[in-house]
Amino acid sequence: MADTPPSQGALALVESITKLGEGLKNGERGARESLLGACSKLIAELSHPSETMLHLLWAQPAHLSVIRMGVEIKLFQAMQDIDAVGETTAEIASRTDPKTDPVLVGRMLRHLAAMNTVNETAPDTFAPTATSKSFAEPVYQDTILYIIDNFQPAHQKMPSFFQTHGFTTPNSQTDGPFQHAFNCKGYHYFEYFQKFDQEMGRRFGSMMDAWSKGRPRWFEPEFYPVKEQLIAGAECDGVFLVDVGGGVGHDVEGLREAFGSALPGKLVLQDRPEVVEHAQIGEGAEKMAHDFLTEQPVKGARAYYFHSIIQDWSDDVNTQILKAIVPAMKKGYSKVLVNDFVVPNQGAAWPQTALDWELMASLGARHRTVTEHTKLYEGAGLRITGIWRHPHSLDSLIELELA
C-alpha cells in the first residue's frame, strides 16, 4: 500500500500505547487489558480497508482451517515439548498421528507462524508458543472442535434464518439460528445435546472450562469482598451458599478451597441429576439435583449464586427462575449473587459483543445493560444492592436482596 501520513487518531493511539507500556512495566492494574485494546485499535487505524478485508476473510478462515487440521493430526501435541530453538518440519511431521506428509505439515506451520500461533526460528524450522502448547490440552482441543465443527453451522445459516424470520431479533429458545441450522425446531440448545449429540454437549462443557482459564474468580478479594459482604453476619449452622445451576462444581470448589474453615456453613451444588452426578466436591459441600424453574428447596441460605445463568435465558424464564428463589430467602439476610456480563451503554468490549451474538444464535438470549438488569430483578421482587467488577475481568458480580 502507498505510504500516507498517519491520522491524528493513529498518532494519539501510539502515544497512548507508549504510556500504557510504561504502566505495564510498573504493574499498573488494567494496563495489560488497555494495551491490548489500544494495539487492536491501532492496527485497525493503520490498515487499508483491503488489508482488513483480506485478514478477516482470507487469513483468519485459513488460520481456523489449519488449526482444525492441527487437531486432526495431533500437530500441537507433536510440538509440545520442542525447545525454543525449534525443530524441522520433517521432525515434527514424524510425530503427527496419523503420519502426515511433511510438505503438508510445512504449509500448515508457515501459516500458523504468519498468524503468530507458532514461532518460525529458522528456514523450515518451528517452535511452539504458549498458545500452541495450550492447543495441545484436551479442553482446548474440545473447544476447537466444538466451535468449528459443532457451532459454525449456526453462523453459516444466519442469513437464511433471518430471511425466514423477518429479520427480527430471536426471542424463542427453541426456534433460533441453532435450531434452524440443525433442523431441530422445538428443542432447546441444551436439550439437543442430551437427546441427539452428547459428544457436542461434552465438548461444550470443555469449552466452558477453557473459557474460565486465566479469568479472575468472583470470590477473589479484588473482585467481590466475600468476607465483608457474606461471611460477616452469616449464621454458622445453616447453608452458606447455594450454587444454582452450578454444573460440576467449579465455583463451589474454588470458594471452598479459597476460604476453607472460614466459611460459616455448608455449600450446596445444584444442577440437573445427570450433571451433578459427575461433580467432584470436597468436605463441607453437598450435591443436590434440582430444576431451577421450580421452588428452591434450600431455605434461608446466606447466598444463592448464579454463574452465567441469567444471560442464557429470556426475561420471562429468568423471572420464573428468580421468583423460584424469592420464597426461600430470609429478609435482610439472604442475597442473590449474579455472576454475569453487564454491558456498558457505550464502548462494549469484543468478548461481550461476540458472546452476545453467540447467545442469540444458540439460546435466543442476550447480555444486558445495567438498566435491563435492574428492570429484570425488580420484576421478580429483588433490588440491586451493588455491582462489583475485577479490574482484569469483563464480567461482574451483581448483589441482590429482597425489595
Side-chain angles (χ1 to χ4, degrees):
M1 301 296 171
D3 290 336
T4 56
S7 67
Q8 288 301 310
L11 293 175
L13 283 166
V14 170
E15 184 176 347
S16 175
I17 287 169
T18 301
K19 292 179 181 178
L20 288 168
E22 288 301 314
L24 186 69
K25 290 179 186 177
N26 298 328
E28 291 181 11
R29 289 169 48 166
R32 185 188 76 90
E33 291 77 11
S34 298
L35 191 58
L36 284 170
C39 289
S40 179
K41 288 181 180 178
L42 181 61
I43 291 170
E45 186 74 27
L46 294 177
S47 298
H48 187 277
S50 65
E51 291 175 316
T52 300
M53 179 190 70
L54 291 174
H55 190 268
L56 289 173
L57 304 180
W58 195 358
Q60 286 291 9
H63 192 201
L64 286 178
S65 178
V66 171
I67 288 171
R68 176 63 182 85
M69 271 291 295
V71 173
E72 193 71 17
I73 65 172
K74 296 183 173 57
L75 175 65
F76 302 111
Q77 290 92 325
M79 297 188 69
Q80 202 168 15
D81 297 324
I82 298 175
D83 61 26
V85 174
E87 286 187 0
T88 66
T89 295
E91 291 171 319
I92 295 170
S94 70
R95 293 194 299 275
T96 56
D97 181 19
K99 291 288 189 297
T100 305
D101 176 11
V103 174
L104 178 59
V105 171
R107 297 171 74 176
M108 295 171 66
L109 289 169
R110 279 191 289 276
H111 191 54
L112 290 173
M115 302 300 287
N116 302 308
T117 300
V118 302
N119 287 328
E120 190 170 16
T121 60
D124 196 37
T125 306
F126 300 88
T129 62
T131 298
S132 69
K133 286 183 177 181
S134 72
F135 284 177
E137 298 176 20
V139 293
Y140 283 94
Q141 298 249 311
D142 284 338
T143 300
I144 292 165
L145 293 173
Y146 174 79
I147 293 296
I148 297 175
D149 291 3
N150 299 133
F151 201 74
Q152 196 59 30
H155 288 294
Q156 293 170 338
K157 290 288 187 177
M158 283 278 193
S160 62
F161 170 80
F162 284 109
Q163 287 165 10
T164 58
H165 288 75
F167 295 93
T168 58
T169 297
N171 57 13
S172 169
Q173 297 191 302
T174 59
D175 184 18
F178 179 85
Q179 287 76 20
H180 177 71
F182 286 88
N183 193 29
C184 61
K185 182 178 178 180
Y187 289 97
H188 189 276
Y189 182 60
F190 297 131
E191 188 180 8
Y192 180 88
F193 295 162
Q194 186 177 353
K195 288 183 176 293
F196 301 110
D197 198 332
Q198 293 185 8
E199 175 62 9
M200 185 191 295
R202 189 194 64 76
R203 289 175 178 175
F204 173 84
S206 284
M207 180 187 70
M208 297 309 296
D209 285 346
W211 163 253
S212 67
K213 285 181 178 293
R215 301 175 68 204
R217 307 293 294 276
W218 70 274
F219 46 77
E220 293 179 15
E222 287 187 301
F223 202 139
Y224 176 72
V226 172
K227 290 182 179 178
E228 294 79 3
Q229 294 298 118
L230 294 184
I231 292 178
E235 299 169 356
C236 296
D237 58 350
V239 173
F240 179 68
L241 179 138
V242 182
D243 188 354
V244 185
V248 295
H250 298 299
D251 285 293
V252 160
E253 272 301 279
L255 181 66
R256 191 184 65 81
E257 291 172 359
F259 290 93
S261 60
L263 294 176
K266 67 180 180 181
L267 306 174
V268 177
L269 171 66
Q270 294 179 337
D271 212 306
R272 300 187 309 275
E274 69 274 14
V275 175
V276 293
E277 70 175 341
H278 297 296
Q280 301 292 324
I281 53 179
E283 186 178 354
E286 69 175 53
K287 299 185 283 188
M288 179 184 295
H290 175 62
D291 178 355
F292 55 43
L293 293 174
T294 63
E295 183 177 345
Q296 174 58 239
V298 180
K299 310 298 182 184
R302 180 61 162 159
Y304 299 89
Y305 172 76
F306 294 88
H307 192 175
S308 298
I309 300 294
I310 300 302
Q311 69 176 21
D312 287 351
W313 301 91
S314 65
D315 284 354
D316 289 344
V317 175
N318 276 320
T319 299
Q320 185 180 349
I321 292 170
L322 294 167
K323 283 187 173 181
I325 294 286
V326 166
M329 297 175 68
K330 183 187 296 186
K331 183 80 172 178
Y333 176 76
S334 299
K335 303 174 186 287
V336 171
L337 305 177
V338 176
N339 193 177
D340 215 336
F341 278 0
V342 177
V343 180
N345 292 322
Q346 181 179 358
W350 68 261
Q352 296 169 320
T353 55
L355 186 53
D356 178 66
W357 192 257
E358 302 279 358
L359 288 170
M360 179 195 70
S362 58
L363 297 165
R366 61 190 171 93
H367 283 146
R368 294 170 174 80
T369 63
V370 173
T371 300
E372 291 167 334
H373 274 287
T374 301
K375 182 180 178 181
L376 171 64
Y377 305 135
E378 287 179 347
L382 298 163
R383 65 184 180 90
I384 296 177
T385 51
I387 300 176
W388 284 262
R389 190 184 135 192
H390 193 282
H392 302 310
S393 180
L394 289 170
D395 55 341
S396 300
L397 196 288
I398 305 169
E399 182 188 85
L400 307 163
E401 293 182 353
L402 290 171

